[in-house]
Amino acid sequence: MRATVANEKFPFAYKKLGMLFMARNDMESAKEYFNDYLKLDIAKDEKESVEKVLKRIEK
């Protein structure tokens, strides 16, 4: 979380936080961080991958 405070445009931190909250079974927080991650400048294939994860979480 410190990395997101220090640099709001650091995508790796948002993805890792999303995965951390998924592992903790806190899906609402995971969705929040994954959605923030998607707003950043990331590769198209990476974006598609995270969108698939979000779809699985929402079920």
Side-chain angles (χ1 to χ4, degrees), residues 2-30:
R2 289 185 211 161
T4 62
V5 172
N7 183 354
E8 293 177 355
K9 304 286 185 194
F10 184 54
F12 184 70
Y14 289 95
K15 183 177 180 184
K16 287 294 183 183
L17 282 167
M19 293 187 319
L20 170 75
F21 283 111
M22 271 182 59
R24 289 182 168 182
N25 209 24
D26 181 354
M27 298 308 170
E28 289 304 313
S29 295

PDB file of all heavy atoms in Angstrom, residues 2-30:
ATOM      1  N   ARG A   2       2.040   1.140   0.566  1.00  0.00           N
ATOM      2  CA  ARG A   2       2.949   2.290   0.569  1.00  0.00           C
ATOM      3  C   ARG A   2       3.343   2.682  -0.847  1.00  0.00           C
ATOM      4  O   ARG A   2       3.523   3.856  -1.139  1.00  0.00           O
ATOM      5  CB  ARG A   2       4.202   1.969   1.373  1.00  0.00           C
ATOM      6  CG  ARG A   2       3.957   1.897   2.832  1.00  0.00           C
ATOM      7  CD  ARG A   2       5.260   1.693   3.566  1.00  0.00           C
ATOM      8  NE  ARG A   2       4.981   0.929   4.757  1.00  0.00           N
ATOM      9  CZ  ARG A   2       5.876   0.261   5.439  1.00  0.00           C
ATOM     10  NH1 ARG A   2       7.130   0.255   5.038  1.00  0.00           N
ATOM     11  NH2 ARG A   2       5.544  -0.398   6.516  1.00  0.00           N
ATOM     12  N   ALA A   3       3.491   1.695  -1.707  1.00  0.00           N
ATOM     13  CA  ALA A   3       3.883   1.981  -3.090  1.00  0.00           C
ATOM     14  C   ALA A   3       2.813   2.785  -3.811  1.00  0.00           C
ATOM     15  O   ALA A   3       3.137   3.668  -4.599  1.00  0.00           O
ATOM     16  CB  ALA A   3       4.148   0.684  -3.841  1.00  0.00           C
ATOM     17  N   THR A   4       1.552   2.531  -3.519  1.00  0.00           N
ATOM     18  CA  THR A   4       0.484   3.289  -4.169  1.00  0.00           C
ATOM     19  C   THR A   4       0.427   4.717  -3.641  1.00  0.00           C
ATOM     20  O   THR A   4       0.043   5.626  -4.364  1.00  0.00           O
ATOM     21  CB  THR A   4      -0.891   2.618  -3.998  1.00  0.00           C
ATOM     22  OG1 THR A   4      -1.227   2.552  -2.614  1.00  0.00           O
ATOM     23  CG2 THR A   4      -0.918   1.246  -4.621  1.00  0.00           C
ATOM     24  N   VAL A   5       0.803   4.906  -2.392  1.00  0.00           N
ATOM     25  CA  VAL A   5       0.842   6.256  -1.822  1.00  0.00           C
ATOM     26  C   VAL A   5       2.027   7.032  -2.402  1.00  0.00           C
ATOM     27  O   VAL A   5       1.903   8.200  -2.756  1.00  0.00           O
ATOM     28  CB  VAL A   5       0.925   6.203  -0.282  1.00  0.00           C
ATOM     29  CG1 VAL A   5       1.151   7.584   0.298  1.00  0.00           C
ATOM     30  CG2 VAL A   5      -0.341   5.577   0.291  1.00  0.00           C
ATOM     31  N   ALA A   6       3.148   6.352  -2.519  1.00  0.00           N
ATOM     32  CA  ALA A   6       4.354   7.007  -3.027  1.00  0.00           C
ATOM     33  C   ALA A   6       4.252   7.326  -4.514  1.00  0.00           C
ATOM     34  O   ALA A   6       4.756   8.350  -4.970  1.00  0.00           O
ATOM     35  CB  ALA A   6       5.573   6.125  -2.769  1.00  0.00           C
ATOM     36  N   ASN A   7       3.598   6.450  -5.269  1.00  0.00           N
ATOM     37  CA  ASN A   7       3.479   6.653  -6.708  1.00  0.00           C
ATOM     38  C   ASN A   7       2.139   6.082  -7.171  1.00  0.00           C
ATOM     39  O   ASN A   7       2.000   4.870  -7.369  1.00  0.00           O
ATOM     40  CB  ASN A   7       4.634   5.975  -7.442  1.00  0.00           C
ATOM     41  CG  ASN A   7       4.616   6.212  -8.921  1.00  0.00           C
ATOM     42  OD1 ASN A   7       3.687   6.807  -9.469  1.00  0.00           O
ATOM     43  ND2 ASN A   7       5.645   5.747  -9.609  1.00  0.00           N
ATOM     44  N   GLU A   8       1.179   6.952  -7.381  1.00  0.00           N
ATOM     45  CA  GLU A   8      -0.168   6.519  -7.773  1.00  0.00           C
ATOM     46  C   GLU A   8      -0.222   5.876  -9.150  1.00  0.00           C
ATOM     47  O   GLU A   8      -1.199   5.236  -9.494  1.00  0.00           O
ATOM     48  CB  GLU A   8      -1.121   7.711  -7.740  1.00  0.00           C
ATOM     49  CG  GLU A   8      -1.362   8.259  -6.372  1.00  0.00           C
ATOM     50  CD  GLU A   8      -2.256   9.485  -6.391  1.00  0.00           C
ATOM     51  OE1 GLU A   8      -2.602   9.961  -7.492  1.00  0.00           O
ATOM     52  OE2 GLU A   8      -2.598   9.946  -5.300  1.00  0.00           O
ATOM     53  N   LYS A   9       0.811   6.038  -9.933  1.00  0.00           N
ATOM     54  CA  LYS A   9       0.832   5.510 -11.307  1.00  0.00           C
ATOM     55  C   LYS A   9       1.655   4.231 -11.433  1.00  0.00           C
ATOM     56  O   LYS A   9       2.023   3.830 -12.522  1.00  0.00           O
ATOM     57  CB  LYS A   9       1.406   6.568 -12.265  1.00  0.00           C
ATOM     58  CG  LYS A   9       0.669   7.875 -12.233  1.00  0.00           C
ATOM     59  CD  LYS A   9      -0.653   7.770 -12.936  1.00  0.00           C
ATOM     60  CE  LYS A   9      -1.303   9.146 -12.985  1.00  0.00           C
ATOM     61  NZ  LYS A   9      -2.668   9.118 -13.340  1.00  0.00           N
ATOM     62  N   PHE A  10       1.949   3.561 -10.316  1.00  0.00           N
ATOM     63  CA  PHE A  10       2.750   2.343 -10.323  1.00  0.00           C
ATOM     64  C   PHE A  10       1.808   1.142 -10.398  1.00  0.00           C
ATOM     65  O   PHE A  10       1.264   0.697  -9.388  1.00  0.00           O
ATOM     66  CB  PHE A  10       3.619   2.287  -9.071  1.00  0.00           C
ATOM     67  CG  PHE A  10       4.558   1.128  -9.024  1.00  0.00           C
ATOM     68  CD1 PHE A  10       5.440   0.875 -10.065  1.00  0.00           C
ATOM     69  CD2 PHE A  10       4.578   0.284  -7.934  1.00  0.00           C
ATOM     70  CE1 PHE A  10       6.314  -0.199 -10.018  1.00  0.00           C
ATOM     71  CE2 PHE A  10       5.452  -0.788  -7.880  1.00  0.00           C
ATOM     72  CZ  PHE A  10       6.316  -1.027  -8.916  1.00  0.00           C
ATOM     73  N   PRO A  11       1.560   0.614 -11.598  1.00  0.00           N
ATOM     74  CA  PRO A  11       0.536  -0.418 -11.771  1.00  0.00           C
ATOM     75  C   PRO A  11       0.805  -1.721 -11.030  1.00  0.00           C
ATOM     76  O   PRO A  11      -0.128  -2.371 -10.560  1.00  0.00           O
ATOM     77  CB  PRO A  11       0.494  -0.647 -13.281  1.00  0.00           C
ATOM     78  CG  PRO A  11       1.729  -0.066 -13.830  1.00  0.00           C
ATOM     79  CD  PRO A  11       2.216   0.958 -12.850  1.00  0.00           C
ATOM     80  N   PHE A  12       2.056  -2.096 -10.911  1.00  0.00           N
ATOM     81  CA  PHE A  12       2.391  -3.381 -10.282  1.00  0.00           C
ATOM     82  C   PHE A  12       1.824  -3.469  -8.864  1.00  0.00           C
ATOM     83  O   PHE A  12       1.316  -4.507  -8.450  1.00  0.00           O
ATOM     84  CB  PHE A  12       3.913  -3.545 -10.272  1.00  0.00           C
ATOM     85  CG  PHE A  12       4.381  -4.862  -9.742  1.00  0.00           C
ATOM     86  CD1 PHE A  12       4.179  -6.028 -10.453  1.00  0.00           C
ATOM     87  CD2 PHE A  12       5.025  -4.941  -8.519  1.00  0.00           C
ATOM     88  CE1 PHE A  12       4.614  -7.244  -9.967  1.00  0.00           C
ATOM     89  CE2 PHE A  12       5.470  -6.144  -8.026  1.00  0.00           C
ATOM     90  CZ  PHE A  12       5.264  -7.301  -8.745  1.00  0.00           C
ATOM     91  N   ALA A  13       1.860  -2.376  -8.130  1.00  0.00           N
ATOM     92  CA  ALA A  13       1.367  -2.373  -6.746  1.00  0.00           C
ATOM     93  C   ALA A  13      -0.138  -2.637  -6.692  1.00  0.00           C
ATOM     94  O   ALA A  13      -0.611  -3.384  -5.823  1.00  0.00           O
ATOM     95  CB  ALA A  13       1.696  -1.043  -6.085  1.00  0.00           C
ATOM     96  N   TYR A  14      -0.884  -2.057  -7.613  1.00  0.00           N
ATOM     97  CA  TYR A  14      -2.337  -2.258  -7.618  1.00  0.00           C
ATOM     98  C   TYR A  14      -2.688  -3.714  -7.923  1.00  0.00           C
ATOM     99  O   TYR A  14      -3.589  -4.290  -7.315  1.00  0.00           O
ATOM    100  CB  TYR A  14      -3.002  -1.329  -8.637  1.00  0.00           C
ATOM    101  CG  TYR A  14      -2.972   0.110  -8.204  1.00  0.00           C
ATOM    102  CD1 TYR A  14      -1.966   0.957  -8.644  1.00  0.00           C
ATOM    103  CD2 TYR A  14      -3.938   0.622  -7.354  1.00  0.00           C
ATOM    104  CE1 TYR A  14      -1.926   2.288  -8.246  1.00  0.00           C
ATOM    105  CE2 TYR A  14      -3.906   1.947  -6.944  1.00  0.00           C
ATOM    106  CZ  TYR A  14      -2.903   2.770  -7.395  1.00  0.00           C
ATOM    107  OH  TYR A  14      -2.863   4.079  -6.997  1.00  0.00           O
ATOM    108  N   LYS A  15      -1.975  -4.312  -8.855  1.00  0.00           N
ATOM    109  CA  LYS A  15      -2.242  -5.711  -9.191  1.00  0.00           C
ATOM    110  C   LYS A  15      -1.913  -6.616  -8.005  1.00  0.00           C
ATOM    111  O   LYS A  15      -2.688  -7.509  -7.660  1.00  0.00           O
ATOM    112  CB  LYS A  15      -1.428  -6.133 -10.409  1.00  0.00           C
ATOM    113  CG  LYS A  15      -1.725  -7.557 -10.845  1.00  0.00           C
ATOM    114  CD  LYS A  15      -0.961  -7.917 -12.079  1.00  0.00           C
ATOM    115  CE  LYS A  15      -1.269  -9.346 -12.489  1.00  0.00           C
ATOM    116  NZ  LYS A  15      -0.473  -9.757 -13.637  1.00  0.00           N
ATOM    117  N   LYS A  16      -0.785  -6.373  -7.378  1.00  0.00           N
ATOM    118  CA  LYS A  16      -0.392  -7.197  -6.226  1.00  0.00           C
ATOM    119  C   LYS A  16      -1.383  -7.045  -5.077  1.00  0.00           C
ATOM    120  O   LYS A  16      -1.702  -8.018  -4.399  1.00  0.00           O
ATOM    121  CB  LYS A  16       1.023  -6.835  -5.751  1.00  0.00           C
ATOM    122  CG  LYS A  16       2.101  -7.309  -6.682  1.00  0.00           C
ATOM    123  CD  LYS A  16       2.148  -8.817  -6.713  1.00  0.00           C
ATOM    124  CE  LYS A  16       3.274  -9.305  -7.580  1.00  0.00           C
ATOM    125  NZ  LYS A  16       3.308 -10.751  -7.684  1.00  0.00           N
ATOM    126  N   LEU A  17      -1.871  -5.826  -4.842  1.00  0.00           N
ATOM    127  CA  LEU A  17      -2.865  -5.630  -3.788  1.00  0.00           C
ATOM    128  C   LEU A  17      -4.165  -6.356  -4.127  1.00  0.00           C
ATOM    129  O   LEU A  17      -4.795  -6.945  -3.247  1.00  0.00           O
ATOM    130  CB  LEU A  17      -3.125  -4.137  -3.576  1.00  0.00           C
ATOM    131  CG  LEU A  17      -2.047  -3.419  -2.775  1.00  0.00           C
ATOM    132  CD1 LEU A  17      -2.212  -1.916  -2.888  1.00  0.00           C
ATOM    133  CD2 LEU A  17      -2.065  -3.858  -1.329  1.00  0.00           C
ATOM    134  N   GLY A  18      -4.561  -6.332  -5.385  1.00  0.00           N
ATOM    135  CA  GLY A  18      -5.750  -7.080  -5.787  1.00  0.00           C
ATOM    136  C   GLY A  18      -5.589  -8.564  -5.509  1.00  0.00           C
ATOM    137  O   GLY A  18      -6.495  -9.212  -4.974  1.00  0.00           O
ATOM    138  N   MET A  19      -4.429  -9.099  -5.829  1.00  0.00           N
ATOM    139  CA  MET A  19      -4.176 -10.526  -5.584  1.00  0.00           C
ATOM    140  C   MET A  19      -4.127 -10.822  -4.085  1.00  0.00           C
ATOM    141  O   MET A  19      -4.633 -11.854  -3.638  1.00  0.00           O
ATOM    142  CB  MET A  19      -2.882 -10.954  -6.265  1.00  0.00           C
ATOM    143  CG  MET A  19      -2.994 -10.911  -7.773  1.00  0.00           C
ATOM    144  SD  MET A  19      -1.601 -11.567  -8.730  1.00  0.00           S
ATOM    145  CE  MET A  19      -0.181 -11.002  -7.895  1.00  0.00           C
ATOM    146  N   LEU A  20      -3.551  -9.929  -3.314  1.00  0.00           N
ATOM    147  CA  LEU A  20      -3.479 -10.110  -1.863  1.00  0.00           C
ATOM    148  C   LEU A  20      -4.880 -10.173  -1.254  1.00  0.00           C
ATOM    149  O   LEU A  20      -5.184 -11.069  -0.466  1.00  0.00           O
ATOM    150  CB  LEU A  20      -2.687  -8.966  -1.220  1.00  0.00           C
ATOM    151  CG  LEU A  20      -2.750  -8.903   0.293  1.00  0.00           C
ATOM    152  CD1 LEU A  20      -1.871 -10.001   0.889  1.00  0.00           C
ATOM    153  CD2 LEU A  20      -2.320  -7.550   0.796  1.00  0.00           C
ATOM    154  N   PHE A  21      -5.727  -9.234  -1.640  1.00  0.00           N
ATOM    155  CA  PHE A  21      -7.078  -9.225  -1.089  1.00  0.00           C
ATOM    156  C   PHE A  21      -7.893 -10.414  -1.579  1.00  0.00           C
ATOM    157  O   PHE A  21      -8.746 -10.920  -0.842  1.00  0.00           O
ATOM    158  CB  PHE A  21      -7.775  -7.899  -1.387  1.00  0.00           C
ATOM    159  CG  PHE A  21      -7.302  -6.783  -0.497  1.00  0.00           C
ATOM    160  CD1 PHE A  21      -6.546  -5.739  -1.002  1.00  0.00           C
ATOM    161  CD2 PHE A  21      -7.588  -6.792   0.860  1.00  0.00           C
ATOM    162  CE1 PHE A  21      -6.099  -4.720  -0.179  1.00  0.00           C
ATOM    163  CE2 PHE A  21      -7.146  -5.777   1.693  1.00  0.00           C
ATOM    164  CZ  PHE A  21      -6.398  -4.736   1.180  1.00  0.00           C
ATOM    165  N   MET A  22      -7.635 -10.898  -2.787  1.00  0.00           N
ATOM    166  CA  MET A  22      -8.291 -12.125  -3.245  1.00  0.00           C
ATOM    167  C   MET A  22      -7.891 -13.299  -2.363  1.00  0.00           C
ATOM    168  O   MET A  22      -8.729 -14.104  -1.967  1.00  0.00           O
ATOM    169  CB  MET A  22      -7.911 -12.442  -4.697  1.00  0.00           C
ATOM    170  CG  MET A  22      -8.806 -11.823  -5.710  1.00  0.00           C
ATOM    171  SD  MET A  22      -8.362 -12.269  -7.403  1.00  0.00           S
ATOM    172  CE  MET A  22      -8.494 -14.041  -7.379  1.00  0.00           C
ATOM    173  N   ALA A  23      -6.608 -13.380  -2.044  1.00  0.00           N
ATOM    174  CA  ALA A  23      -6.123 -14.465  -1.196  1.00  0.00           C
ATOM    175  C   ALA A  23      -6.733 -14.398   0.199  1.00  0.00           C
ATOM    176  O   ALA A  23      -6.960 -15.431   0.834  1.00  0.00           O
ATOM    177  CB  ALA A  23      -4.601 -14.408  -1.103  1.00  0.00           C
ATOM    178  N   ARG A  24      -7.018 -13.185   0.656  1.00  0.00           N
ATOM    179  CA  ARG A  24      -7.650 -12.999   1.967  1.00  0.00           C
ATOM    180  C   ARG A  24      -9.168 -13.148   1.898  1.00  0.00           C
ATOM    181  O   ARG A  24      -9.861 -12.985   2.889  1.00  0.00           O
ATOM    182  CB  ARG A  24      -7.327 -11.613   2.513  1.00  0.00           C
ATOM    183  CG  ARG A  24      -5.913 -11.441   2.928  1.00  0.00           C
ATOM    184  CD  ARG A  24      -5.735 -10.069   3.492  1.00  0.00           C
ATOM    185  NE  ARG A  24      -4.453  -9.938   4.159  1.00  0.00           N
ATOM    186  CZ  ARG A  24      -4.065  -8.842   4.768  1.00  0.00           C
ATOM    187  NH1 ARG A  24      -4.848  -7.783   4.809  1.00  0.00           N
ATOM    188  NH2 ARG A  24      -2.886  -8.789   5.350  1.00  0.00           N
ATOM    189  N   ASN A  25      -9.676 -13.422   0.714  1.00  0.00           N
ATOM    190  CA  ASN A  25     -11.103 -13.589   0.459  1.00  0.00           C
ATOM    191  C   ASN A  25     -11.884 -12.291   0.694  1.00  0.00           C
ATOM    192  O   ASN A  25     -13.050 -12.320   1.058  1.00  0.00           O
ATOM    193  CB  ASN A  25     -11.685 -14.740   1.284  1.00  0.00           C
ATOM    194  CG  ASN A  25     -12.855 -15.373   0.598  1.00  0.00           C
ATOM    195  OD1 ASN A  25     -12.986 -15.302  -0.616  1.00  0.00           O
ATOM    196  ND2 ASN A  25     -13.723 -16.002   1.373  1.00  0.00           N
ATOM    197  N   ASP A  26     -11.230 -11.166   0.483  1.00  0.00           N
ATOM    198  CA  ASP A  26     -11.864  -9.846   0.560  1.00  0.00           C
ATOM    199  C   ASP A  26     -12.070  -9.372  -0.877  1.00  0.00           C
ATOM    200  O   ASP A  26     -11.284  -8.598  -1.418  1.00  0.00           O
ATOM    201  CB  ASP A  26     -10.969  -8.881   1.346  1.00  0.00           C
ATOM    202  CG  ASP A  26     -11.575  -7.504   1.498  1.00  0.00           C
ATOM    203  OD1 ASP A  26     -12.643  -7.234   0.894  1.00  0.00           O
ATOM    204  OD2 ASP A  26     -10.971  -6.674   2.208  1.00  0.00           O
ATOM    205  N   MET A  27     -13.129  -9.871  -1.488  1.00  0.00           N
ATOM    206  CA  MET A  27     -13.343  -9.646  -2.915  1.00  0.00           C
ATOM    207  C   MET A  27     -13.698  -8.198  -3.240  1.00  0.00           C
ATOM    208  O   MET A  27     -13.367  -7.710  -4.310  1.00  0.00           O
ATOM    209  CB  MET A  27     -14.415 -10.590  -3.451  1.00  0.00           C
ATOM    210  CG  MET A  27     -14.034 -12.043  -3.332  1.00  0.00           C
ATOM    211  SD  MET A  27     -12.416 -12.380  -4.055  1.00  0.00           S
ATOM    212  CE  MET A  27     -12.148 -14.036  -3.507  1.00  0.00           C
ATOM    213  N   GLU A  28     -14.348  -7.496  -2.341  1.00  0.00           N
ATOM    214  CA  GLU A  28     -14.677  -6.092  -2.597  1.00  0.00           C
ATOM    215  C   GLU A  28     -13.416  -5.248  -2.719  1.00  0.00           C
ATOM    216  O   GLU A  28     -13.290  -4.428  -3.629  1.00  0.00           O
ATOM    217  CB  GLU A  28     -15.603  -5.543  -1.508  1.00  0.00           C
ATOM    218  CG  GLU A  28     -17.007  -6.092  -1.563  1.00  0.00           C
ATOM    219  CD  GLU A  28     -17.680  -5.870  -2.909  1.00  0.00           C
ATOM    220  OE1 GLU A  28     -17.625  -4.742  -3.438  1.00  0.00           O
ATOM    221  OE2 GLU A  28     -18.247  -6.838  -3.437  1.00  0.00           O
ATOM    222  N   SER A  29     -12.474  -5.451  -1.827  1.00  0.00           N
ATOM    223  CA  SER A  29     -11.209  -4.709  -1.900  1.00  0.00           C
ATOM    224  C   SER A  29     -10.412  -5.135  -3.123  1.00  0.00           C
ATOM    225  O   SER A  29      -9.785  -4.304  -3.786  1.00  0.00           O
ATOM    226  CB  SER A  29     -10.385  -4.926  -0.632  1.00  0.00           C
ATOM    227  OG  SER A  29     -11.046  -4.370   0.480  1.00  0.00           O
ATOM    228  N   ALA A  30     -10.430  -6.418  -3.428  1.00  0.00           N
ATOM    229  CA  ALA A  30      -9.723  -6.918  -4.612  1.00  0.00           C
ATOM    230  C   ALA A  30     -10.270  -6.253  -5.864  1.00  0.00           C
ATOM    231  O   ALA A  30      -9.501  -5.788  -6.713  1.00  0.00           O
ATOM    232  CB  ALA A  30      -9.853  -8.441  -4.708  1.00  0.00           C
TER     233      ALA A  30
END
